[in-house]
Amino acid sequence: MPKLLPRSFYLDPPDIVARRLLGKLIARRLNGQSLTGRIVEIEAYLGLDDPAAHAYAGKTARNAVLFGPPGFAYVYFIYGMYYCLNISCQPEGHAGCVLIRALEPVKGLATMARLRKLPANAAPRLLTSGPGRLCQALDITRAAHNGLDVTRRPSPLQVLDDDYEPGLVRETARIGISKAVEQPLRFVIEGNPFVSR
DNA sequence: GGAGCGATGTCCT
DNA sequence: GGACATCGCTCCG
């Protein structure tokens, strides 16, 4: 039986937490069904000293969750179309987070395909490989999930540990940003086909 | 299989 | 007004 990750799991700096979250499960409870995916790609965003982070400019209404306690979902709307899922890290007052960039779909693939508006037999790679895609596949929105505690039971959004051991972890530069591009704060499971692009 | 680009809402300057 | 932690579509080879 997978274990719910406790709040203490998220107390450390984002790069530590990001690496440690690889291989863990995101479980989305939707209409009595469980949509589950394994984290295979993730990025760390630091606080006030990371120009690429949303928290860089200081606390605003949008990013307030980042400055709160660890273990809470930070969901934001991007490019007028997509949502991205983050989890806050570090003690209250420290604005670190991790961005979930890709999942390996585990359970509920047919529902994920429907939510992505793809045919039921669509390639699994198209379901959750990318931060915008995985939010669509799991029906994660800012209105419903921003500020949600992911360490609580029950919850529509949880992070679980099923003792899966990821193989080799590769560390790379982050994707899609224009500032602090050189920092190696992206972590992927080496060779996993569900890593984005 | 890769480069180029348009779609489209929200927030900050 | 511009930037934006994206995606899917074209067009080209």
Side-chain angles (χ1 to χ4, degrees), chain A residues 19-90:
Chain A
R19 181 179 279 269
R20 196 194 278 156
L21 273 171
L22 279 179
K24 300 296 186 280
L25 297 170
I26 298 284
R28 166 85 171 98
R29 198 86 198 155
L30 179 65
N31 302 327
Q33 191 191 10
S34 179
L35 307 178
T36 308
R38 194 177 301 285
I39 301 172
V40 299
E41 175 181 353
I42 190 165
E43 287 178 356
Y45 285 87
L46 316 181
L48 299 170
D49 47 356
D50 179 6
H54 284 186
Y56 181 62
K59 186 174 176 177
T60 65
R62 177 174 71 142
N63 67 20
V65 174
L66 296 177
F67 291 82
F72 285 78
Y74 169 57
V75 182
Y76 65 88
F77 192 56
I78 190 70
Y79 297 118
M81 252 178 280
Y82 300 104
Y83 294 97
C84 290
L85 171 65
N86 302 252
I87 300 173
S88 63
C89 300
Q90 303 186 113

Side-chain angles (χ1 to χ4, degrees), chain A residues 28-171:
Chain A
R28 166 85 171 98
R29 198 86 198 155
L30 179 65
N31 302 327
Q33 191 191 10
S34 179
L35 307 178
T36 308
R38 194 177 301 285
I39 301 172
V40 299
E41 175 181 353
I42 190 165
E43 287 178 356
Y45 285 87
L46 316 181
L48 299 170
D49 47 356
D50 179 6
H54 284 186
Y56 181 62
K59 186 174 176 177
T60 65
R62 177 174 71 142
N63 67 20
V65 174
L66 296 177
F67 291 82
F72 285 78
Y74 169 57
V75 182
Y76 65 88
F77 192 56
I78 190 70
Y79 297 118
M81 252 178 280
Y82 300 104
Y83 294 97
C84 290
L85 171 65
N86 302 252
I87 300 173
S88 63
C89 300
Q90 303 186 113
E92 184 155 12
H94 295 257
C97 70
V98 296
L99 167 69
I100 315 293
R101 284 198 55 92
L103 303 175
E104 174 171 348
V106 172
K107 197 169 157 223
L109 301 245
T111 301
M112 292 184 195
R114 184 171 51 75
L115 288 165
R116 291 266 299 121
K117 306 186 200 311
L118 293 169
N121 63 349
R125 241 205 121 259
L126 296 176
L127 299 176
T128 53
S129 292
R133 287 171 167 180
L134 73 90
C135 282
Q136 197 176 26
L138 268 50
D139 191 29
I140 292 170
T141 63
R142 175 166 142 90
H145 302 105
N146 187 53
L148 210 72
D149 186 349
V150 301
T151 70
R152 245 188 23 195
R153 192 193 303 276
S155 166
L157 192 60
Q158 296 180 331
V159 190
L160 307 173
D161 183 4
D162 66 347
D163 294 321
Y164 175 89
E165 290 288 339
L168 196 58
V169 171
R170 176 179 293 275
E171 191 176 308

Side-chain angles (χ1 to χ4, degrees), chain A residues 6-24:
Chain A
R7 191 169 321 284
S8 58
F9 187 93
Y10 305 97
L11 265 174
D12 290 307
D15 52 330
I16 306 292
V17 176
R19 181 179 279 269
R20 196 194 278 156
L21 273 171
L22 279 179
K24 300 296 186 280

